Amino acid sequence: MRARATDAHRAAVLGSPIAHSLSPVLHRAAYEALELTDWTYDRFEIDEAALPGFVAGLGGEWAGLSLTMPLKRAVIPLLDEISETAASVDAVNTLLFTEDGRRVGDNTDIPGMVAALREHGVEQVDSAAILGAGATASSALAALARVCSGEIVAYVRSAARADEMRQWGERLAVDVRVADWSAAADALRFPLVVATTPAGATDALAASVPERPATLFDVLYEPWPTELAARWSMFGGAVVSGLDLLVHQAVLQVEQMTGITPAPVEAMRKAGEHALASRQTVQP
């Protein structure tokens, strides 16, 4: 049901650090497009220690919260209910407040990844590769469980990370094989490659992009393009960006918080692109 424009509602993104979050840009663009004039969306610098007190102090005007690091697991003990999707990876990026005051946790990163892939024509692949094994890799693995019918190979830098990915594979019932990062160039020949690594980590792989690459999903959006993504596009491969993911996970949050479907995807994407372009303009 559509929220009434006369009702005041609040939402925000929490995390630490949070100053560069694009969530306010995306959500406010949605409110403007939907003519929700009394909806506001803010950002708050909140760490794990401050989270319980912050959430406890929120009033009935609050519709929901977007959560980024390091709060995606820290929020779980504060919830009355958690979705199966969020529970599958022990990560909540969306906190919804129900009319009866309950706190419900969800994860829109996973379906957001799937939606971003489908927008670029990737419905199903028979194998895939993941570069990295950090916090985002578990969500990537859960998303691949929905689009990959065969083996998934994760390229990692340490034995500890290898064990983590094997454990996630078992938990998510996904066929995962772990390979050493020294062989990461082999990943680039898979029909779908998901790069979950920090900025600069895949730069050395750009020289190994094959002549006819398939699809690269690089979860970074700033700086953009990464060297790997730029080389991939140069050779004619399809590239899904971190902004695509950010937009689609935010779309789902807007829909859940406001009750309005569909959220204005293109308005949110244009706002995100403009914000990123503005940041690049002012940087030395």
Side-chain angles (χ1 to χ4, degrees), residues 52-206:
F54 182 90
V55 172
L58 300 181
E61 74 276 16
W62 283 85
L65 298 171
S66 306
L67 302 165
T68 186
M69 298 303 291
L71 306 179
K72 293 185 179 183
R73 287 192 172 90
V75 74
I76 293 177
L78 309 179
L79 303 174
D80 298 303
E81 181 182 340
I82 184 172
S83 70
E84 289 185 12
T85 301
S88 71
V89 291
D90 284 338
V92 168
N93 78 327
T94 307
L95 173 52
L96 304 169
F97 299 101
T98 64
E99 291 184 359
D100 59 2
R102 300 178 76 248
R103 303 168 184 168
V104 180
D106 194 14
N107 185 309
T108 64
D109 286 330
I110 295 167
M113 286 184 177
V114 174
L117 285 168
R118 288 178 175 165
E119 184 179 53
H120 287 263
V122 181
E123 297 279 349
Q124 195 78 28
V125 293
D126 57 14
S127 61
I130 297 177
L131 296 173
T136 307
S138 59
S139 292
L141 195 58
L144 288 175
R146 305 183 183 190
V147 300
C148 183
S149 60
E151 183 183 54
I152 299 169
V153 182
Y155 293 83
V156 303
R157 293 184 182 275
S158 70
R161 291 295 195 185
D163 288 340
E164 287 180 14
M165 289 304 289
R166 291 190 189 97
Q167 291 171 12
W168 280 117
E170 292 176 5
R171 179 169 177 170
L172 295 166
V174 177
D175 181 16
V176 180
R177 178 167 62 85
V178 180
D180 189 81
W181 185 263
S182 61
D186 295 342
L188 308 186
R189 298 189 178 277
F190 279 73
L192 173 59
V193 183
V194 184
T196 68
T197 51
T202 61
D203 288 357
L205 296 176

Side-chain angles (χ1 to χ4, degrees), residues 220-274:
L220 294 174
Y221 62 86
E222 191 176 23
W224 187 262
T226 63
E227 290 192 25
L228 180 60
R231 183 81 169 181
W232 201 275
S233 294
M234 184 186 305
F235 278 69
V239 175
V240 186
S241 74
L243 181 60
D244 293 320
L245 167 59
L246 196 64
V247 168
H248 279 285
Q249 64 83 27
V251 161
L252 295 169
Q253 289 183 337
V254 168
E255 291 175 351
Q256 290 182 356
M257 292 179 189
T258 67
I260 301 172
T261 303
V265 179
E266 289 310 312
M268 295 170 71
R269 188 196 315 277
K270 289 179 181 178
E273 290 173 344
H274 177 74

